[in-house]
Each structure stands twice: as C-alpha cells, then as structure tokens.
Amino acid sequence: MAQCVTKVQLSISCDNLMDKDIGSKSDPLCVVMQSVGDGKWAELTRTERIKNCQKPEFSTKPVLDYYFEKVQNLKFGVYDIDNKSFDLNDDDYLGGLECTLAQIVSSQKLTRPLELKKGKPAGKGSITIFAEEIKDTRIVIFEIEARNLDNKDFLGKSDPFLEFFKQGDDGSWQLVYRSEVIKNNLNPCWKKFSVPLHTFCSADFNKPIKVTVSDMDDSTSSDLIGEFSCTTVKLLEAKDQVVEFDCIHPQKKQKKKSYKNSGIVRVKSCKIETEYSFLDFVMGGCQINFTVGIDFTGSNGDPKSQDSLHFISPNGVNEYLTALWCVGNVIQDYDTDKQFPAFGFGAQVPPTWQVSHEFALNFNSTNPYCLGVQGIVDAYRQALPQVRLYGPTNFSPIINHVSRFAVAAAQQGTASQYFVLLILTDGEITDLDLTRQAIVNASKLPMSIIIIGVGNADFKAMEFLDADNGVLKSATGEAAVRDIVQFVPFRQFKNAPKEALSQAVLAEVPKQLVTYFKLLGLTPLKPPQTTV
C-alpha cells in the first residue's frame, strides 16, 4: 500500500518570551527537531534569529513530510542567540515544546506553554504553530524597490525592510515573507525573492495582502515607516509594468490633513512560475553521480592497531565503513548503473610509494569505478593493507577531481546530471585555503559535498566549511554562490539508528540540487504533467 504522505508547512510564533539580555530584549531563534528513537533528536531546520523581540513571528517556515501512519515526534526549542556560533550549547534556552506532527495537523493551530524542562514552565512564554498542507507547486517572484521613504533615524538614515502578511479566515494577519534589511537608505532596492504561492496567499488571488515597510533598530523593536493593502491580482499587474503603492503611516494620516505618504513602494516585477521539486528532477531523468573520498592519513592510526579509526573489528566494521554504508545505500538508488568512482587520499601508494591525494581505491586510475556500495567496501578492504598511511590531509584535489566532471555536465545546459561527493575523514585538514577555493568554484556547478567526520578530533575546520552560520568565502574573499557543504560528526550518531545518520547528511542535497537548477533556469528533462 502506498504511504499516505503529504507536505505540511509550519508557521511558528512565540509570545511572552523570557528576557535573558541586560539592557535589551532577547534575540530568539527556533530550532525544529525530530525524534530518531532512543531519546535522540535530529535537527530538521532552524528559523532566522529576530533581534530584541519577546513576541517573534518567524518568516522561516519549515516544510515537513507528514505520514498519516507514522508517529512523528517533534521538538521545538527556542534560544536567545548572542553570538555567531552555530552551536546552541552556549546560548540561553528560552523554553521548548514536544508534540507530534499529527497534533499540530489536527489542531491546525496549536498554542502551548513553553517549558524549560518537563513540568517547569518558561515564565509566561508560549509557542504557536500553524499548519498548512502544500498542494500547489507554484511560486510568486518579486522585484521591489521604494522611493523617498521617511527617515526614522536621528543620526543617519532609515534601515528599511519589507514584510508581507496574508489575512487568515479569522481576520488575523499572518507573516508570509520578511526581506533583508538595507542599511542607511531611503531609496532601497531589495533582492529579488520568491514565496510559494500557497504560503503567500493560499493560492487565493483575491485574498487581502498587507505590506509593511519598517526601519530596523538594533537596540529596540523596529519602527513602522508605512503600509498598504492590496491583493495578489493587483500585484500581478507588475508582470508587464511597474505598479506603485503609497506607503501610508496610519497615525500620520490621522494627524495631518496635508499628509500624502511616507514614501512609495514600486513593484518592478511580479510573476508566477512553477517550482520544481527534487523528485520532479529525478523522475524527469536527472542522474545523481556518487563519488567517495576516504582519508588514509597517518593521524587515523595504524590500521593493525585496535585504536586506529581504520581498524576493522572482528565483525567486519569500523566507523568509515558504517558511515559509507549509511549514506551510500540511500544514494545508490538514484544512480541507474550503480558504478561509483572511489578514491583515497593522504597515503603512500605502491609501487613508487609517492603520496597521493586522489588514488583509485581499486588501484585502476583509468577505471576507478566500483559496483555499488559493496564494491566500494570491497575495494577499501583490499586497499587498506596495501598502502602506507601518511599525509598531509588535502581535500582540494578530490573536490577538484569531481568538479571537472561537473563542469562537463554543466556545459550540456540540461538538468541531466548532479554530483555528490562524500568525504570520510578524521578531521585534520592541511590545505584549508585551497579547499575553500575549490568549494567556492564547485558552488557554481551541479555538485554537493558531504563531509562525515569520524573519530573524536576537533572538527572546527569542517564546521567552518559547512558555513551554516554565514556564506563561505575563499581566501581572496570570493563568496560561494550557494551552500553546497554538509558536515556531520559521526560520533553524534554512534548509538542512533542507521537511518538517522543518512537523514542528517542527505537532508540538504535535494534542496541544493533544486537551487542549482533553479539558479540556471533549468527545468526537468521530462517535466511532470501539471493539473494546475
């Protein structure tokens, strides 16, 4: 029987959060986690951080697969973020909620008190989660600027940002999008952005939409510059021409008879397009090419010693093999020929004993392909006693190796191939600057990089490459076009079910694939038949 699965989007807001900051309000962020069994949780996503706010409404809206026949335990954790670290252990916990996705779906709108731990309320803090089923794959794309906005700052100019709200059935306004802040500018031009049509207006083109322009203030809550109301129908007039709206501040309008506006918002472009999903591309004929790179540097320890990360236990496993099985078993289903190139790096290789940073695991440089994950495992076991673990740990050669194939695929100009490189390493990296450049270059290609850290090393360099808390830049300052690296330390999943590791490391690949093809305006080779 086919599983009953549907996509559900969650809107998250909080009220009366505890105040942990002296001299200002907390800067909250919400983390969404799912139970993976045995009391362990895997992070699904986290919202943006909102400065100085005890009543945040988050614009990041997690989308989850909802299975009617499964109990999906979720945990929502709210934190006060006062630093740039991705790790939440050094941030103040403002409370959390544990519930099931079914509880949210059946309530549609669930409001519960936040708890610091079971039975201990987090002051008067509460969380509200609103669920909507996603049935429409269209997106609405905007280009918007403003002119002559009021200046709200005593020193300098306003720092404006946009917010869009749709009106709910109960008459309340629900945030659907928040733009970036443009500093010190009364004539801002915001980045082009898109919002799923169901999020924006529930696919009802006549639903009332409210747009606000506000001045961001770092030390206090933001100040309203002005607002206007409209419908999606009106906004879509900007498909062929610029549509302008007076930005009105309600109180100023009441006080001054001569008041005209607090600036003008110009919708330069508004159009609707179909948003293709990961499955649309895969089912449309996109091949996912899986390549493995395994760390054979001396810091792993002598494979003959039980302390070595490469030591194969009597039952035939080690961390490298377990990680390879977990990820490879999922990815191999998306590649029809199941032929995977596999390489080692950082070892002295026979017969010359030169150090190599991209030697074929099967020692066949002209044909480094292994049949399925089992083929990679067999090649690894055979290579281990034949090489000498050495160093240094260089990632850039293997990344550049896969990039060359991705370049060739990109030149075809079709959504036919995507490359996933899995690097298994003990975490010591020597060529950080060259690796940064290699990743920045690869971010322009149909390619994702997964790094699994085995052992107990300090993985700060890997977390830096993951760039979850900012855009990765090369040593020369060139920024990555998109985030393509996912790093996960294996030790966090040692006692968790095997699916938990593959879920954590592969979670971002579908989004990365879709983002790449969308960036280039490429559609699936065989687009799905739409009923819309």
Side-chain angles (χ1 to χ4, degrees):
M1 192 175 81
Q3 286 182 316
C4 176
V5 61
T6 187
K7 295 243 177 244
V8 172
Q9 175 184 273
L10 304 180
S11 299
I12 304 167
S13 58
C14 300
D15 201 2
N16 292 314
L17 291 180
M18 292 192 303
D19 203 351
K20 291 282 189 175
D21 289 355
I22 298 165
S24 65
K25 298 183 181 123
S26 292
D27 306 324
L29 165 155
C30 183
V31 179
V32 184
M33 291 170 280
Q34 184 161 1
S35 169
V36 291
D38 295 333
K40 291 186 169 54
W41 299 87
E43 181 176 323
L44 295 178
T45 188
R46 55 179 74 182
T47 67
E48 78 281 15
R49 168 187 141 196
I50 298 181
K51 282 190 173 180
N52 297 307
C53 188
Q54 286 170 282
K55 190 180 179 177
E57 187 170 5
F58 299 104
S59 63
T60 305
K61 297 180 186 292
V63 175
L64 279 63
D65 284 333
Y66 166 65
Y67 296 89
F68 175 73
E69 68 277 24
K70 280 188 191 174
V71 175
Q72 292 170 271
N73 290 305
L74 300 177
K75 184 193 279 188
F76 297 84
V78 184
Y79 292 83
D80 173 24
I81 308 293
D82 288 319
N83 55 44
K84 290 188 174 178
S85 158
F86 191 71
D87 187 1
L88 295 168
N89 289 324
D90 52 3
D91 297 302
D92 288 320
Y93 186 53
L94 302 179
L97 167 71
E98 285 185 36
C99 63
T100 65
L101 185 53
Q103 283 173 310
I104 301 169
V105 167
S106 57
S107 306
Q108 197 178 14
K109 188 176 183 180
L110 183 80
T111 301
R112 291 279 188 275
L114 288 166
E115 291 187 330
L116 292 172
K117 58 184 180 185
K118 217 159 186 63
K120 187 182 179 187
K124 294 180 180 174
S126 67
I127 186 167
T128 297
I129 304 148
F130 180 80
E132 279 184 290
E133 184 183 355
I134 300 174
K135 294 175 179 171
D136 199 316
T137 59
R138 291 173 294 175
I139 55 171
V140 56
I141 304 168
F142 289 98
E143 288 181 63
I144 297 180
E145 63 185 17
R147 291 284 175 269
N148 305 317
L149 294 177
D150 282 358
N151 193 9
K152 308 293 279 189
D153 290 353
F154 179 64
L155 297 168
K157 295 178 181 145
S158 296
D159 305 321
F161 65 96
L162 286 168
E163 288 182 307
F164 283 75
F165 301 83
K166 69 178 172 189
Q167 193 166 39
D169 295 335
D170 59 356
S172 64
W173 292 103
Q174 187 186 343
L175 178 70
V176 294
Y177 177 77
R178 181 184 292 122
S179 77
E180 79 279 15
V181 176
I182 296 185
K183 293 271 187 187
N184 224 29
N185 197 327
L186 301 181
N187 299 293
C189 184
W190 288 279
K191 285 180 196 163
K192 184 177 180 179
F193 65 92
S194 65
V195 187
L197 191 64
H198 71 272
T199 303
F200 189 72
C201 62
S202 306
D204 176 352
F205 288 62
N206 292 304
K207 186 182 274 286
I209 300 291
K210 182 170 77 172
V211 183
T212 65
V213 183
S214 303
D215 169 38
M216 175 59 75
D217 196 317
D218 282 343
S219 56
T220 60
S221 50
S222 53
D223 294 323
L224 179 71
I225 295 173
E227 62 186 33
F228 63 90
S229 294
C230 60
T231 62
T232 307
V233 167
K234 179 67 180 169
L235 291 165
L236 282 168
E237 289 177 12
K239 192 176 177 184
D240 306 307
Q241 61 189 16
V242 174
V243 178
E244 295 188 343
F245 296 91
D246 283 329
C247 197
I248 304 295
H249 194 293
Q251 289 169 336
K252 280 193 172 183
K253 190 179 180 183
Q254 277 183 341
K255 284 179 186 170
K256 276 189 183 177
K257 281 191 176 176
S258 60
Y259 175 77
K260 280 178 79 177
N261 60 45
S262 293
I264 288 175
V265 173
R266 305 180 77 242
V267 182
K268 295 195 293 180
S269 173
C270 175
K271 56 189 178 185
I272 288 174
E273 289 183 1
T274 298
E275 174 97 308
Y276 292 109
S277 70
F278 172 69
L279 285 180
D280 288 336
F281 284 105
V282 169
M283 293 166 81
C286 181
Q287 281 288 305
I288 296 182
N289 302 281
F290 181 45
T291 304
V292 177
I294 297 178
D295 184 337
F296 284 90
T297 54
S299 51
N300 283 280
D302 182 356
K304 297 189 194 76
S305 163
Q306 291 193 18
D307 300 332
S308 170
L309 293 167
H310 280 300
F311 176 76
I312 297 177
S313 68
N315 59 352
V317 295
N318 60 25
E319 287 190 15
Y320 278 96
L321 285 171
T322 306
L324 176 59
W325 270 116
C326 287
V327 180
N329 272 334
V330 174
I331 289 201
Q332 71 175 353
D333 289 340
Y334 294 97
D335 190 311
T336 47
D337 68 6
K338 306 280 187 289
Q339 292 283 347
F340 305 120
F343 300 91
F345 58 89
Q348 290 179 320
V349 182
T352 60
W353 302 108
Q354 289 288 103
V355 175
S356 173
H357 295 291
E358 47 175 319
F359 66 90
L361 268 193
N362 63 5
F363 298 113
N364 185 345
S365 55
T366 57
N367 184 13
Y369 294 88
C370 303
L371 182 57
V373 179
Q374 185 61 55
I376 304 173
V377 169
D378 293 343
Y380 165 76
R381 286 167 187 251
Q382 285 162 18
L384 205 50
Q386 296 185 61
V387 300
R388 294 178 191 155
L389 272 59
Y390 207 70
T393 309
N394 293 348
F395 280 12
S396 59
I398 186 83
I399 295 172
N400 291 330
H401 178 100
V402 177
S403 292
R404 287 194 288 275
F405 290 93
V407 165
Q411 287 167 351
Q412 294 173 17
T414 60
S416 57
Q417 293 195 74
Y418 195 84
F419 294 80
V420 176
L421 169 61
L422 170 65
I423 297 176
L424 302 170
T425 179
D426 72 344
E428 304 289 334
I429 180 167
T430 318
D431 65 337
L432 188 58
D433 285 352
L434 286 172
T435 295
R436 283 161 66 186
Q437 185 65 59
I439 291 170
V440 168
N441 295 344
S443 72
K444 304 165 195 164
L445 301 170
M447 183 170 164
S448 291
I449 300 166
I450 296 165
I451 304 171
I452 298 183
V454 297
N456 296 309
D458 177 358
F459 290 124
K460 278 200 169 62
M462 305 297 115
E463 285 161 3
F464 171 74
L465 295 175
D466 192 333
D468 270 334
N469 54 350
V471 178
L472 179 72
K473 291 183 178 173
S474 70
T476 58
E478 184 186 358
V481 174
R482 56 197 183 92
D483 176 18
I484 64 166
V485 177
Q486 173 74 341
F487 166 72
V488 171
F490 183 84
R491 59 177 174 245
Q492 287 182 2
F493 296 87
K494 256 186 174 169
N495 302 314
K498 284 187 170 60
E499 307 79 58
L501 175 66
S502 55
Q503 199 177 341
V505 297
L506 295 174
E508 293 187 19
V509 170
K511 186 171 70 179
Q512 290 166 357
L513 179 148
V514 168
T515 305
Y516 173 77
F517 290 130
K518 186 177 166 185
L519 211 58
L520 270 68
L522 297 174
T523 58
L525 292 176
K526 290 179 286 192
Q529 298 297 310
T530 55
T531 53
V532 177

